[in-house]
């Protein structure tokens, strides 16, 4: 369920970045698409807890946007935000927020971010996202960046 919640949050950040849509409007649009119609028995529906988690990620990113972007800009080597695929940037923003500000353990978080990047991004998106998040993790582990304590 958390993977689906992260995908929803990713879609919101992507729509915000590409369409210039305010985050709250992108949230409304993305959650409207979740409403299954009667003909779709196997609708990919998030439960209330999943929706709450996705909204928490979007709001958390919005609150920390400037910090996240500064940290990513100094972590990504050889690329500016303008050169990157918008899908990769949205995945990285979401994962960086969660790595720094949520108690989620790093390994499963990075694994899900790479899967989302592979699903929605280009051929090299998974490798690129994995590399950037690995560098971010090294910075956290070295004490260069502060992150909230992680659940076991």
């Amino acid at each position: 369920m958390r993977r689906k919640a992260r995908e929803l949050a990713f879609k919101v950040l992507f729509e915000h970045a590409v369409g210039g849509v305010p985050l709250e409007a992108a949230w409304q649009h993305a959650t409207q698409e979740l409403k299954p119609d009667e003909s779709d028995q196997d609708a990919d529906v998030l439960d209330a807890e999943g929706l709450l988690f996705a909204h928490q990620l979007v709001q958390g990113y919005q609150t920390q946007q400037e910090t996240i972007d500064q940290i990513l800009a100094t972590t990504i080597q050889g690329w500016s935000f303008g050169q990157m695929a918008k899908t990769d940037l949205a995945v990285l923003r979401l994962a960086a927020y969660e790595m720094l500000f949520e108690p989620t353990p790093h390994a499963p978080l990075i694994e899900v971010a790479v899967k989302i990047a592979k699903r929605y991004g280009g051929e090299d998106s998974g490798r690129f996202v994995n590399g950037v998040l690995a560098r971010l993790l090294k910075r956290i582990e070295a004490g260069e960046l502060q992150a909230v304590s992680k659940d076991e």
Side-chain angles (χ1 to χ4, degrees):
M1 191 55 67
R2 287 208 162 205
R3 181 189 57 76
K4 286 185 187 351
R6 287 184 183 99
E7 276 193 42
L8 174 60
F10 155 76
K11 289 175 182 178
V12 171
L13 291 189
F14 180 74
E15 184 175 341
H16 168 69
V18 172
V21 178
L23 277 170
E24 199 53 45
W27 172 262
Q28 294 299 326
H29 181 253
T31 53
Q32 273 180 329
E33 291 180 355
L34 289 178
K35 308 291 187 269
D37 63 37
E38 286 71 36
S39 64
D40 191 359
Q41 296 298 320
D42 299 319
D44 231 4
V45 181
L46 278 173
D47 62 12
E49 185 180 327
L51 279 171
L52 187 65
F53 179 63
H55 201 241
Q56 176 183 327
L57 292 176
V58 170
Q59 287 183 315
Y61 168 72
Q62 185 174 24
T63 302
Q64 300 294 339
Q65 186 171 356
E66 198 173 304
T67 301
I68 298 297
D69 283 357
Q70 287 173 348
I71 288 169
L72 282 175
T74 59
T75 302
I76 297 168
Q77 297 169 345
W79 293 85
S80 72
F81 289 173
Q83 295 172 305
M84 291 173 49
K86 297 294 183 227
T87 51
D88 296 353
L89 183 56
V91 171
L92 288 171
R93 283 173 164 161
L94 189 61
Y97 164 74
E98 201 170 351
M99 287 176 77
L100 293 163
F101 298 101
E102 293 291 330
T104 313
H106 292 123
L109 188 159
I110 292 171
E111 182 181 328
V112 170
V114 169
K115 284 180 181 176
I116 292 172
K118 285 180 180 178
R119 181 171 181 188
Y120 294 98
E123 190 177 320
D124 296 323
S125 290
R127 274 197 309 276
F128 178 72
V129 166
N130 190 54
V132 172
L133 295 179
R135 280 194 295 277
L136 180 58
L137 181 56
K138 283 181 184 161
R139 293 181 70 193
I140 292 168
E141 290 174 340
E144 184 184 335
L145 299 170
Q146 293 295 328
V148 300
S149 354
K150 301 299 170 186
D151 293 337
E152 289 304 316

